[in-house]
Amino acid sequence: MTAYAAATSTSLTIRADLALTLIDMLVLVTVAIVAGGSKKLGMSKRRAALAETLVNALAAVGMCLSMAIVAGIAVQRIAAGGVEPHGSGVVLAMSLNVAYAAVNFWILRRWKARNMAAASALARAQICLFSDKLSSNLLIAASLATAMIWEGTMIARFIDPVAGLLIATMTARWTIPVVRDTARSLRREFRRARRPVARLGNERL
């Protein structure tokens, strides 16, 4: 439905929503596989932690990629004089994002509860991811509604690209903690991996 809305409108924010949705789906499928696989395969805590770190790295890369795509298109549209959103997909996308916001808010609350019960880098990354999704949903719905209200004016031409820049800014805000946690986890895993090597070298000496 999001792809259909993007194809039947001229809105940047709807295309941004489609890009965010596809990237987030890739991350969430990977999270589901890792979370389920670590239990079924009986992974050691160390391997499970490494798998979660790699998933967090994927989430960070995905969020950075979506931020770059949205910001790049928004700057191009502003430089071109803006584009007013038109098409049947505008109303559909606005309705979808209101529904998405409700669903993502519910999921966000579940991740927050899980993190309070057992804090982890994976839970924190998902909290950032769904906070980003929720803020994007609200911004998209609000920008499309505002553009419809100001239809035919110069303001309406710039609401869409400015909303795209705001979405990119919010994504950057939620990406920073994920990148920081991932870097710390990778550094910790690297140090753990070096300890056996250093110990073996000392034994040989």
Side-chain angles (χ1 to χ4, degrees), residues 3-143:
Y4 175 78
T8 55
S9 73
T10 60
S11 173
L12 163 65
T13 55
I14 299 176
R15 286 169 171 75
D17 185 27
L18 179 60
L20 293 170
T21 299
L22 293 175
I23 293 171
D24 290 344
M25 282 178 62
L26 174 62
V27 174
L28 294 174
V29 168
T30 307
V31 169
I33 293 173
V34 170
S38 60
K39 294 179 180 179
K40 291 181 180 179
L41 298 177
M43 285 186 183
S44 64
K45 289 184 177 180
R46 183 174 176 179
R47 287 189 176 182
L50 179 58
E52 290 185 359
T53 299
L54 294 177
V55 170
N56 290 349
L58 176 62
V61 170
M63 293 172 78
C64 288
L65 180 60
S66 62
M67 175 182 62
I69 291 172
V70 175
I73 297 175
V75 170
Q76 289 178 3
R77 292 220 170 166
I78 290 174
V83 177
E84 185 175 351
H86 287 296
S88 58
V90 172
V91 176
L92 174 61
M94 185 173 62
S95 303
L96 283 175
N97 274 277
V98 171
Y100 291 160
V103 173
N104 287 329
F105 178 70
W106 177 75
I107 297 174
L108 176 61
R109 290 187 63 185
R110 288 175 62 88
W111 275 111
K112 284 184 175 181
R114 175 173 172 174
N115 190 55
M116 289 182 65
S120 69
L122 179 64
R124 289 193 297 272
Q126 294 306 299
I127 289 171
C128 289
L129 179 65
F130 279 98
S131 295
D132 177 41
K133 289 170 68 65
L134 177 60
S135 60
S136 296
N137 294 147
L138 296 175
L139 277 170
I140 291 169
S143 68

Side-chain angles (χ1 to χ4, degrees), residues 167-186:
I167 291 170
T169 301
M170 291 302 298
T171 300
R173 181 260 179 271
W174 292 112
T175 301
I176 291 172
V178 180
V179 172
R180 185 173 57 242
D181 265 2
T182 301
R184 288 174 179 172
S185 297
L186 288 173

